[in-house]
Amino acid sequence: MPITHPAAPDAARTPHPMSLIATTLGGLLAVTAGAGGMVLLHMHSGQGAPTRDPMLLAPMIGVIEPCILQTKTTALTGPVSATGHAPANALDTLGVSCSGVAGSAAPLVESTLSDLYPSGAPKPPRYPVGYTLPVPLLQLFEEKAGSWQLNQERIARLARTVRDTDRPVVVYLFATHFASHAPLEQALAQDPRNLAQTRDGAMPPGSYYGEPVYYWNIADPDAPVNLRRKEAASAMVQALCRLEPKQRAKIHAITLLGEVHHYFPDFETGMGFGMPYRVTDYSPISQQGFRRFLQNRFGRIEHLNRAVGGQFASFDNVLPPSKDIRTEPLAYFNEHIDSFAQGSLPVSGWAFAPGRDRSGSSLKALVYRNGVLAGKAPVSLSRQDVSQAKPEFGSVNTGWRVDLDFRTWPTGVHQLDIYLQRGDEPAFHLGSRRVAIMDRSQTTPQPQPMAGTLPTSTPLPSEWQAYMDGPAEQSSYYYNPLVPLWQAFRAQQVADYIENFGRQVVLPSCLAGTPTYTHQIIPFTNPSWDAQKFAVETSLAGLPTTGLGVSLYGEAAYGNSFAQWYAQRQATARPTAPGKPASQQANGYGVTEFHPLKPMTAKALMRTLDQHSQRGAKFLSFFMEPRWEGQRVERGHNIFSIDPQNPQFGSDVLYPAVQKALAGESR
């Protein structure tokens, strides 16, 4: 049976973690984000401990509202810790610790982390424990006398938090499209220069599960929003540089901006394949940049025309693809664009076979084209929508996807046959689809002959359940060679924005020797998402002076999809480039957000943490609720927080699992 869902099942049912980070700053949710790591001088040396420098656990604690923005905290809830009872005036003591000329979030950070793993425990933790300090850049401004000025006291509180917390810290310079509820955001959103543009013009503010989303312009570095971000980040870096060297030494890493990518309308469900294709950025400055990009790559217009089958008189005549040949008249074929026009056809679905996780019985999907095997993929990707509709499966890892490159296929109707196979057992036929590869003139496609013999198969066993999401029967596909160039340019825009931000804010400062990391999304782990819309592949492939930081949810946190991708990335990694000495560049990777989206035992969690450490992770971060005097600071909370009072996604089970893993217990 099909699972009814919009194009992006996970997003359609679960708010995106980054939106929850941002809404913290508006007083609705209690978590901010960021991650990083610093190797402490001690590490657990017991049996089974990691052999390389230990990965830092850097929880993301919601300290911004009560201690930095001074939002009033109304209550403390939950059972007290074993170390003592919360006094009646606990709220008052929290307020005092955050306020005044010496106020900072340091006491709240330490109180929260001591509940997770007491500093006086009999043995040091298996992994050192630090924290992440998010710096909400646009929240550092306040309006005075008709102009926007930096709030120096907020900046000072953040710097004092680093100074007064005796733990390694990652400073997260946070500014993304999810609203932080900063008053400045609304003012900036009134200026079209600050907004990204689809082909239809500037994108108005949107919403994500009721929270504002601002589609900020990343194409124009001189847009006011980008100048404000750099102004606030530079001021924060300068404040940190005024600390004593021994205090600055606690800053092991800096993470930049949060998720940076291109946009699309309907941010809750628009990341999939089944809707009109609208992406950013089509602003005049972006279109000019695209022409320069093409001229730098091809040199002469006739070379571009030869590559894309175009008839452009000059580079000045080139426009980014923006129309769908199925529904709109085209002036010339190179105007066509959709989710498949770069030449990739996704075949995807979900499957569940009882007992499939037993050793040697891995389930995989096989895709044949005209009788010849064209691709295969394990059934291992996270499908939260299937898990919610079919909780009896007891697993979220039921998704699969095979991307077929149709650029060289002959025009005509091709037959796709999809099979499921467990281990070396006989294959089971899931279904067939006929798809049409079209020419530029939209000539009626003719059936292609079978080029091979399909494998012997039997019907799907009655106890198995499976469904094929796509492609649709008799769907059509057009390859436009200009589209991959447009997508490559968009991906370069994203990479350049992140890299240049670090070069302009961090490299000129005393923190130039501190490794910096991205805080990036990895859309390819969701089988229902069109990753081309995000345009993040270049930023994930590697930047000259900025290391890889990624957020891992569901199967990507503990399974093979990220591990395999990272191994391939490392095999083709770019050499370091001028800008930072190689010894000072970020190496390995950082897990900027982490949640398996299911409960795990301490043994399973420890194995997952060890795998990330052995793979080269320098830090791993997850959401945590702030706790004061043994109780949780009461307000709206992040549903992804690993917290003993949060039943969402097994988070209440994960909290003691983290505690046991830190203690080296595998029970």
Side-chain angles (χ1 to χ4, degrees):
M1 60 167 286
I3 298 296
T4 303
H5 60 82
D10 293 346
R13 288 168 170 77
T14 303
H16 193 286
M18 287 298 295
S19 72
L20 303 178
I21 298 168
T23 52
T24 298
L25 306 179
L28 297 177
L29 296 165
V31 179
T32 56
M38 178 179 183
V39 176
L40 297 181
L41 296 179
H42 64 271
M43 65 175 288
H44 179 60
S45 58
Q47 184 177 3
T51 56
R52 63 171 69 204
D53 289 342
M55 175 181 68
L56 179 81
L57 293 191
M60 301 177 285
I61 307 167
V63 300
I64 295 299
E65 285 186 314
C67 284
I68 306 302
L69 302 182
Q70 300 286 280
T71 300
K72 182 176 177 57
T73 301
T74 59
L76 302 174
T77 64
V80 298
S81 70
T83 58
H85 294 272
N89 64 344
L91 281 175
D92 293 336
T93 62
L94 174 60
V96 169
S97 72
C98 296
S99 305
V101 295
S104 77
L108 185 55
V109 169
E110 190 56 43
S111 175
T112 303
L113 295 180
S114 292
D115 268 17
L116 182 68
Y117 197 84
S119 56
K123 61 181 180 181
R126 182 178 181 85
Y127 290 101
V129 179
Y131 70 105
T132 293
L133 182 64
V135 179
L137 297 180
L138 296 185
Q139 279 282 15
L140 300 184
F141 290 95
E142 59 182 346
E143 189 175 15
K144 285 187 176 180
S147 65
W148 293 97
Q149 302 176 23
L150 289 167
N151 184 316
Q152 297 297 336
E153 180 52 32
R154 289 179 180 175
I155 295 172
R157 282 192 207 108
L158 289 162
R160 289 195 294 266
T161 300
V162 174
R163 182 195 68 185
D164 297 340
T165 305
D166 292 328
R167 291 179 183 266
V169 59
V170 168
V171 176
Y172 175 29
L173 301 176
F174 170 61
T176 185
H177 42 280
F178 293 113
S180 66
H181 294 271
L184 177 57
E185 288 176 329
Q186 296 184 21
L188 291 171
Q190 302 305 310
D191 186 344
R193 293 178 298 171
N194 293 322
L195 302 176
Q197 295 187 26
T198 67
R199 71 170 208 181
D200 302 322
M203 296 183 71
S207 66
Y208 192 84
Y209 291 87
E211 290 301 317
V213 172
Y214 296 99
Y215 302 105
W216 300 122
N217 179 342
I218 64 170
D220 182 2
D222 295 323
V225 64
N226 294 323
L227 297 178
R228 291 295 191 184
R229 286 177 168 184
K230 293 171 188 174
E231 180 184 0
S234 296
M236 187 69 247
V237 168
Q238 291 169 13
L240 294 172
C241 284
R242 288 192 290 270
L243 298 177
E244 296 180 6
K246 65 178 182 180
Q247 307 298 349
R248 293 201 305 269
K250 291 182 283 189
I251 305 172
H252 182 67
I254 299 171
T255 52
L256 300 178
L257 293 166
E259 295 177 0
V260 177
H261 56 74
H262 275 294
Y263 312 114
F264 39 85
D266 192 0
F267 211 59
E268 291 182 12
T269 61
M271 60 279 289
F273 295 93
M275 61 283 297
Y277 197 79
R278 299 290 185 272
V279 295
T280 59
D281 188 285
Y282 286 82
S283 64
I285 193 169
S286 185
Q287 294 193 44
Q288 293 169 9
F290 181 50
R291 297 184 190 106
R292 288 194 301 271
F293 173 84
L294 294 175
Q295 190 163 14
N296 290 337
R297 174 167 294 195
F298 292 96
R300 300 174 60 179
I301 191 64
E302 53 265 35
H303 295 166
L304 172 66
N305 282 331
R306 189 177 304 117
V308 304
Q311 295 180 339
F312 301 107
S314 71
F315 287 103
D316 291 338
N317 298 125
V318 181
L319 295 175
S322 63
K323 298 179 181 179
D324 190 333
I325 194 172
R326 301 174 188 83
T327 59
E328 300 170 280
L330 306 185
Y332 49 89
F333 178 76
N334 291 123
E335 287 188 310
H336 169 66
I337 190 171
D338 60 17
S339 288
F340 319 102
Q342 75 274 6
S344 180
L345 191 167
V347 184
S348 64
W350 60 266
F352 175 77
R356 72 181 181 90
D357 291 328
R358 68 177 184 265
S359 177
S361 63
S362 58
L363 188 65
K364 57 182 175 290
L366 309 175
V367 179
Y368 285 77
R369 178 177 69 90
N370 301 330
V372 177
L373 182 64
K376 58 184 177 180
V379 177
S380 62
L381 298 177
S382 181
R383 287 291 296 261
Q384 288 293 323
D385 61 327
V386 176
S387 178
Q388 291 172 1
K390 296 283 187 178
E392 65 271 19
F393 288 174
S395 173
V396 298
N397 302 332
T398 57
W400 59 269
R401 174 165 150 180
V402 176
D403 290 315
L404 302 178
D405 183 348
F406 68 86
R407 290 177 297 175
T408 60
W409 294 7
T411 58
V413 177
H414 297 253
Q415 179 174 317
L416 303 180
D417 287 274
I418 294 84
Y419 295 81
L420 294 174
Q421 185 177 33
R422 182 165 60 182
D424 295 327
E425 298 174 8
F428 300 100
H429 192 233
L430 180 58
S432 300
R433 294 289 188 273
R434 290 172 295 172
V435 299
I437 305 302
M438 305 294 293
D439 62 19
R440 297 183 174 212
S441 301
Q442 296 183 287
T443 305
T444 301
Q446 300 301 312
Q448 289 289 307
M450 295 294 284
T453 303
L454 293 172
T456 302
S457 65
T458 60
L460 201 68
S462 59
E463 67 272 19
W464 288 29
Q465 296 189 51
Y467 183 72
M468 185 162 54
D469 294 314
E473 173 68 7
Q474 297 186 348
S475 52
S476 60
Y477 299 88
Y478 299 79
Y479 170 51
N480 176 6
L482 188 60
V483 170
L485 296 167
W486 171 237
Q487 303 290 24
F489 168 71
R490 295 173 64 242
Q492 192 61 53
Q493 282 183 309
V494 171
D496 289 346
Y497 187 86
I498 301 171
E499 175 69 10
N500 290 336
F501 189 87
R503 286 182 179 271
Q504 294 170 19
V505 170
V506 180
L507 287 188
S509 75
C510 75
L511 299 178
T514 303
T516 57
Y517 294 84
T518 62
H519 186 126
Q520 196 56 291
I521 189 173
I522 50 170
F524 59 82
T525 61
N526 189 316
S528 298
W529 286 11
D530 177 3
Q532 293 290 331
K533 290 184 175 180
F534 296 86
V536 297
E537 56 270 23
T538 301
S539 64
L540 291 172
L543 301 176
T545 66
T546 308
L548 176 68
V550 291
S551 298
L552 302 179
Y553 284 85
E555 184 274 341
Y558 57 84
N560 293 325
S561 62
F562 172 75
Q564 292 173 352
W565 172 84
Y566 184 71
Q568 294 172 354
R569 176 190 184 273
Q570 292 304 95
T572 58
R574 303 176 183 177
T576 57
K580 270 190 178 182
S583 62
Q584 297 174 349
Q585 297 194 33
N587 52 50
Y589 66 95
V591 182
T592 48
E593 297 175 32
F594 172 90
H595 201 300
L597 299 181
K598 69 174 186 178
M600 298 180 77
T601 64
K603 181 178 181 180
L605 180 60
M606 186 186 302
R607 181 171 60 249
T608 296
L609 297 179
D610 286 352
Q611 287 171 345
H612 279 293
S613 180
Q614 293 161 7
R615 195 178 297 131
K618 301 303 178 183
F619 56 87
L620 184 144
S621 184
F622 50 87
F623 292 104
M624 275 187 64
E625 297 300 328
R627 307 186 74 83
W628 183 250
E629 301 290 346
Q631 292 184 294
R632 189 170 69 169
V633 179
E634 182 56 34
R635 48 189 175 165
H637 297 290
N638 191 314
I639 62 174
F640 295 100
S641 285
I642 294 179
D643 184 88
Q645 294 170 245
N646 178 24
Q648 297 275 7
F649 308 110
S651 300
D652 51 348
V653 177
L654 288 169
Y655 187 88
V658 172
Q659 292 177 310
K660 292 178 181 178
L662 286 171
E665 301 176 12
S666 60
R667 292 179 289 106

